[in-house]
Amino acid sequence: MSGREGGKKKPLKAPKKERGDMDEDDMAFKQKQREEQKKLAEAKAKAGGKGPMGSSGIKKSGKK
């Protein structure tokens, strides 16, 4: 027995799914993700035009 053959054997990798092998649940999930990402991008664009967020409130002093 040589040193290279000892120890655990690595499990075989599962074959990758083909892109066209998606069912309706996967399609709905992908569509929902796209819509959420679009809403997030719109919210970022809307918030980006304004000044710094949370500027009003308790001001911290520089003293410690």
Side-chain angles (χ1 to χ4, degrees):
M1 225 194 298
S2 68
R4 288 183 166 204
E5 294 177 12
K8 289 185 176 179
K9 301 281 185 183
K10 289 187 178 179
L12 296 174
K13 291 184 179 179
K16 292 183 179 179
K17 286 186 176 180
E18 294 183 22
R19 293 199 104 189
D21 203 18
M22 293 196 297
D23 58 353
E24 292 179 17
D25 293 336
D26 290 338
M27 298 282 265
F29 179 71
K30 291 279 186 183
Q31 184 67 26
K32 187 176 177 183
Q33 277 187 329
R34 281 190 218 115
E35 289 173 4
E36 287 180 9
Q37 195 172 18
K38 194 181 288 185
K39 286 179 186 178
L40 195 71
E42 288 175 6
K44 279 185 183 178
K46 192 181 249 186
K50 298 177 184 172
M53 293 181 68
S55 62
S56 62
I58 300 172
K59 304 283 184 178
K60 293 184 178 179
S61 64
K63 298 180 182 178
K64 286 190 176 182

